[in-house]
Amino acid sequence: MKLLVTGGAGFIGSNFVLYMLKKHPDYQIVNVDALTYAGNLENLKSIENNPNHVFVKADIRDAAKMDELMGQGIDVVVNFAAESHVDRSIMEPDVFVKTNVLGTQVLLDAAQKHNISKFVQVSTDEVYGTLGDTGLFSETTPLAPNSPYSASKAGGDLLVRAYHETFGLPVNITRCSNNYGPYQFPEKLIPLMISKALADEQLPIYGDGLNIRDWLYVEDHCSAIDLVIHKGRNGEVYNIGGNNERTNLHIVKTILEQLDKSESLMTYVQDRPGHDRRYGIDPTKTMTELGWKPAHSFETGIQETIRWYLDNKEWWTRIQSGAYQDYYAKQYGTRLGDRA
Ligand code: NAD
Ligand code: DAU
């Protein structure tokens, strides 16, 4: 099988590429990523010499390039490429619409033209908006996005749905809850708090810290997408989550405790505008229909994640210093142009 994975140098995309090459060593992966601030080829160092992995630096909005790549015998497209950070979307909505909506449409056109046998849109639970104290998001929960990020992801999802209904494109949409684990960019809650705690810096908690997220170890998200590729019924949405709802305060206190740091580092700051109060995913359909089950509890997953950030300090300090962006130029530079 030949996959085109977009955004495969980001957090979840790189974990997915590593997961798939281990699980299916005979699969071929074309990994397309624009290497924005969030893309980091250092995530893929361990497969640099794997002949079944080809990295292409390209933007998903580049229609000619997407057409060329999908014309090379691609069977399956998995679209991770996105602007993914809610706080950045509040500062700069424009690029979110361009990548998450228009970029998705460019990919759909190319997939349609080349008769791709499966298009998987990696979406998010944030498209459903926010929950009160009870209830969970199911696949039939109406879309009610509250941030420019989630609105742009919902826009992408609606186009994916429309290409299925109108053109018969074989699609699936996955909507997962908050991921954590290795290679997460240190502007997101868990790696940010780990890195700040290790540096004895203040840990910024938005609002009252009682917002709830439903956490899933990234490898469990990857295993669910693998099942969607192979067993997902065309046109269906699959929710992915591990029933691990935690307040932000609980997350921060767990990190401080495991790192033996003082809770006096916790600092309450102004809330995020439009801050969703609670997310909670009902994964019953994905579990019963596809046979998916998460392999990590939150307690083991967070321990493994903290251990990974302790063991890979160089990875995140190079991000903080900006040095990771030199890596591509040094490693591939003039040798290979835009194709590595
Ligand atoms: P990320 O920001 O770490 O990675 C995004 C990747 O996309 C980066 O490598 C970036 O360079 C690339 N990219 C951005 N714009 C591009 C463009 N125009 N063309 C090509 N590549 C481009 O994000 P992530 O956390 O790994 O999320 C991946 C996907 O999963 C996103 O679609 C996101 O909406 C979704 N998702 C994320 C989470 C989460 O908790 N992180 C949960 C559910 C769904
Ligand atoms: O639910 C899935 C979504 O999870 C994905 O679609 C997004 O791409 C991903 O970024 C994530 O969005 P969140 O906004 O939930 O993640 P973030 O790590 O930015 O924030 C998690 C919670 O922590 C949220 O309630 C805001 C809070 N927070 C975050 C930061 C960065 C803080 O209190 N302080 C902070 O400094």
Side-chain angles (χ1 to χ4, degrees):
M1 187 181 278
K2 193 166 177 178
L3 282 84
L4 186 135
V5 174
T6 72
F11 163 47
I12 307 174
S14 62
N15 274 284
F16 178 75
V17 169
L18 298 173
Y19 176 88
M20 289 300 275
L21 287 173
K22 198 164 163 196
K23 176 105 189 280
H24 309 283
D26 54 325
Y27 284 13
Q28 291 174 283
I29 297 185
V30 179
N31 182 351
V32 181
D33 196 297
L35 298 181
T36 67
Y37 79 94
N40 186 351
L41 279 180
E42 294 186 358
N43 303 2
L44 301 164
K45 260 185 177 169
S46 63
I47 50 165
E48 231 160 42
N49 299 316
N50 186 328
N52 284 341
H53 175 247
V54 175
F55 181 79
V56 181
K57 182 176 187 289
D59 195 308
I60 58 165
R61 291 168 293 174
D62 181 343
K65 191 74 184 174
M66 295 309 118
D67 181 32
E68 177 201 319
L69 292 172
M70 279 194 221
Q72 294 172 1
I74 298 293
D75 302 300
V76 172
V77 175
V78 187
N79 182 26
F80 292 93
E83 290 293 336
S84 71
H85 190 35
V86 173
D87 293 327
R88 286 179 187 256
S89 82
I90 296 166
M91 287 187 275
E92 199 187 354
D94 176 85
V95 68
F96 283 74
V97 175
K98 286 180 176 154
T99 287
N100 300 357
V101 183
L102 299 178
T104 300
Q105 185 254 320
V106 167
L107 291 172
L108 288 165
D109 272 345
Q112 165 74 5
K113 179 174 166 192
H114 293 287
N115 294 318
I116 295 302
S117 59
K118 180 71 91 183
F119 186 104
V120 179
Q121 171 75 353
V122 181
S123 190
T124 168
D125 60 358
E126 296 201 13
V127 298
Y128 297 123
T130 189
L131 289 167
D133 291 342
T134 56
L136 295 171
F137 296 133
S138 79
E139 287 82 357
T140 54
T141 301
L143 303 190
N146 291 318
S147 72
Y149 161 69
S150 51
S152 67
K153 289 295 291 184
D157 287 14
L158 293 178
L159 283 166
V160 173
R161 176 191 151 85
Y163 272 63
H164 174 70
E165 297 296 329
T166 305
F167 305 114
L169 191 69
V171 307
N172 286 119
I173 298 171
T174 61
R175 297 193 178 129
C176 189
S177 57
N178 284 60
N179 284 213
Y180 67 101
Y183 301 116
Q184 186 164 30
F185 200 84
E187 68 183 4
K188 303 284 175 74
L189 182 74
I190 288 180
L192 181 81
M193 297 301 170
I194 295 172
S195 62
K196 290 222 172 274
L198 287 172
D200 290 311
E201 287 172 7
Q202 293 183 326
L203 274 51
I205 296 166
Y206 297 163
D208 62 7
L210 295 177
N211 300 66
I212 291 173
R213 297 292 181 265
D214 186 354
W215 294 94
L216 186 71
Y217 192 69
V218 61
E219 197 177 68
D220 288 326
H221 187 182
C222 297
S223 68
I225 295 171
D226 184 24
L227 286 170
V228 169
I229 290 172
H230 293 96
K231 295 165 78 175
R233 281 184 298 128
N234 288 335
E236 293 294 312
V237 175
Y238 293 96
N239 278 357
I240 305 168
N243 295 311
N244 290 308
E245 289 187 43
R246 301 286 187 282
T247 63
N248 294 338
L249 274 185
H250 176 90
I251 301 288
V252 173
K253 286 182 180 175
T254 302
I255 291 169
L256 287 170
E257 190 189 326
Q258 294 201 14
L259 291 174
D260 200 18
K261 297 284 181 179
S262 164
E263 287 190 7
S264 64
L265 290 173
M266 295 185 346
T267 309
Y268 291 89
V269 299
Q270 197 181 4
D271 208 354
R272 171 186 280 173
H275 196 177
D276 287 334
R277 192 64 174 168
R278 175 176 163 247
Y279 301 147
I281 276 275
D282 178 357
T284 307
K285 178 178 173 184
T286 307
M287 295 178 91
T288 52
E289 214 181 288
L290 307 181
W292 175 76
K293 214 169 79 182
H296 301 260
S297 69
F298 182 74
E299 285 62 37
T300 58
I302 192 73
Q303 271 179 22
E304 282 173 40
T305 302
I306 292 173
R307 171 55 40 212
W308 189 89
Y309 280 87
L310 284 168
D311 292 345
N312 292 275
K313 196 167 176 202
E314 206 197 346
W315 179 86
W316 52 269
T317 51
R318 282 170 62 75
I319 289 177
Q320 288 169 333
S321 75
Y324 75 109
Q325 284 169 326
D326 301 337
Y327 177 78
Y328 181 80
K330 277 200 199 117
Q331 178 67 14
Y332 301 106
T334 50
R335 275 197 297 147
L336 295 156
D338 72 346
R339 187 155 190 158

